[in-house]
Amino acid sequence: MNRFNYRGDELMCESVPLQSIAEAVDTPAYVYSCTGIRENYRRIDRALESYPHLICYALKANSNPEILRDLAALGSGADVVSGGELNLALAAGFPAKKIVYAGVGKTDAEIRLAIENNILALNVESTQELEVVAEIARKMGCTAPIALRINPDIDIEGHPYLTTGKSANKFGIEIQQAKACYQWAAKQSSLKIVGVHCHVGSMIRKSEPFSKSAETLVHFVADLKSMGIEMEHIDLGGGFGVDYQTVLADQGSPWMLEPEAVIKEVLPVIQATGCELLFEPGRSIVGPNGILLTRVLFAKETKGKRFVVVDAAMNDLIRPSLYGAHHEVVPVRRRAGEQQLVDVVGPICESGDFLAKDRNLIEPQRGDLLAVMTAGAYGYTLASNYNSRSRGVEVGVEGEGWRIIRARENWIQPSV
Ligand SMILES: Cc1ncc(COP(=O)(O)O)c(C=O)c1O
């Protein structure tokens, strides 16, 4: 669900006016609806309740420690892609036995960390990685729990950077090779086969890629079973798409793909195996529940073009520059006036530094506050210090209350 709406002309997060947050903590600021985040997790969980399952929240979407603690307390598992994320997940209270670890380039130290902590599964992405995991576990005198990430060559028909399940992508192992890998793994005393994994992309708009993945994995699991190799779980990854145009609570569902619809299709397919079902949603849980608050610094005009220069930039939210992604930009206080066609740009020295292009906004003036909507996923986690800019503050809202959940970075000082 979405917890941002206007009360009169005042944009609110739950029951808190965003203007008051900006006045208290300054801008740029990420503001999240903690209630909305929990609600979205629970909705996916409820849709799966009739069947043994585990939701492994994908930390890469938003790894704010307070948000992680909240999700861990609800019973969520975690999907991590680095030693850093693994440490964050453990510190936030996710039980190791609910953590899966994917990624095409795990270092030896990261593999050791995962084995030491006895996580649920290392999602292995190549033959060589499998051999290295077996060798490291053998030297440690341990057994490494593994699932292979299958690349099923399924097209999500989305942005090429968000497609991960085509054979041209670097991710996973193609199915024939995976079969041989499992046969090899079954003979290694330092490996324990626990499952099979696939994640075909992010911002998936239809249920088809999920049902195709489910069918592919179910056939594969049956094939392996006939060879005497048993699986405990099937992990279908994340990727539920959200609607970047539906940004206010009264506009309807911000989910482009309702998880219930996907689950209804895949459950009967998976059920036949008796395997536990895992999903790794990220964006759908946090995306619509976060915004980036920014203040207008200047309005300027060049020949035929109007710019609104704001204090947030591509270092705060890189999605528009990186993917040409669309984020709605709305005023924190609505007022009457004439609409102008503007580009909303940041202070960074790149023409690619923009948050929105060719938008109709009502005469944005110096000092006005704007909200860049649907910025809860892949916002702060992709933020950088480019141009030596400090990362902004993160605020969590709950009903009528709010608090800082990560402080603004200190102004970067030249070292002396
Ligand atoms: C392996 C894996 N799982 C889960 C996710 C989460 O995807 P999303 O945020 O679209 O749900 C990703 C993101 O790309 C991923 O790479």
Side-chain angles (χ1 to χ4, degrees), residues 3-18 248-250 331-334 399-400:
R3 293 296 186 134
F4 295 92
N5 230 344
Y6 284 98
R7 188 178 290 167
D9 287 324
E10 191 80 42
L11 187 61
M12 317 283 289
C13 177
E14 303 194 26
S15 300
V16 180
L18 288 164
L248 299 174
D250 60 14
V332 166
R333 270 192 183 151
R334 285 194 294 211
E400 291 176 357

Side-chain angles (χ1 to χ4, degrees), residues 58 60-61 79 81 102 149 164 197 199 201-203 237-240 280-284 378:
K60 61 178 80 65
D79 162 51
V81 285
R149 177 172 179 172
T164 57
H197 173 240
H199 168 79
S202 195
M203 268 304 285
F240 303 119
E280 303 169 350
R283 189 191 305 269
S284 50
Y378 306 104

Side-chain angles (χ1 to χ4, degrees), residues 94-244:
F94 291 95
K97 271 292 157 218
K98 288 186 177 178
I99 299 178
V100 292
Y101 184 170
V104 291
K106 304 175 189 81
T107 65
D108 291 11
E110 288 175 319
I111 292 169
R112 270 195 298 274
L113 184 70
I115 297 172
E116 262 161 29
N117 281 287
N118 199 18
I119 65 168
L120 173 57
L122 278 138
N123 287 333
V124 174
E125 305 225 14
S126 65
T127 310
Q128 196 165 30
E129 184 190 336
L130 184 65
E131 289 164 1
V132 169
V133 171
E135 179 62 11
I136 291 176
R138 194 184 54 75
K139 284 191 183 144
M140 291 170 72
C142 298
T143 309
I146 56 118
L148 298 190
R149 177 172 179 172
I150 306 292
N151 182 324
D153 198 22
I154 290 171
D155 194 357
I156 63 161
E157 293 168 22
H159 192 287
Y161 293 0
L162 299 179
T163 300
T164 57
K166 291 283 294 165
S167 23
N169 303 133
K170 67 180 174 181
F171 301 97
I173 306 175
E174 70 75 28
I175 213 142
Q176 279 312 320
Q177 215 180 349
K179 206 177 280 182
C181 286
Y182 272 112
Q183 285 173 299
W184 182 83
K187 293 185 207 126
Q188 311 306 311
S189 57
S190 63
L191 296 179
K192 179 175 192 298
I193 295 168
V194 292
V196 60
H197 173 240
C198 86
H199 168 79
V200 291
S202 195
M203 268 304 285
I204 301 175
R205 294 168 170 79
K206 299 183 205 149
S207 55
E208 213 181 335
F210 284 103
S211 44
K212 276 191 188 164
S213 303
E215 278 159 26
T216 307
L217 293 193
V218 165
H219 281 132
F220 184 68
V221 166
D223 242 20
L224 289 177
K225 194 171 181 180
S226 69
M227 297 172 195
I229 300 170
E230 302 263 1
M231 297 291 162
E232 291 167 17
H233 73 245
I234 295 179
D235 181 348
L236 290 180
F240 303 119
V242 307
D243 184 350
Y244 281 86

Side-chain angles (χ1 to χ4, degrees), residues 294-298 308-313 344-347 355 370 389:
T294 183
R295 199 178 279 281
V296 176
L297 296 174
F298 306 109
V308 176
V309 186
V310 295
D311 63 1
V344 181
V345 300
L355 297 172
L370 298 173
R389 287 167 53 86

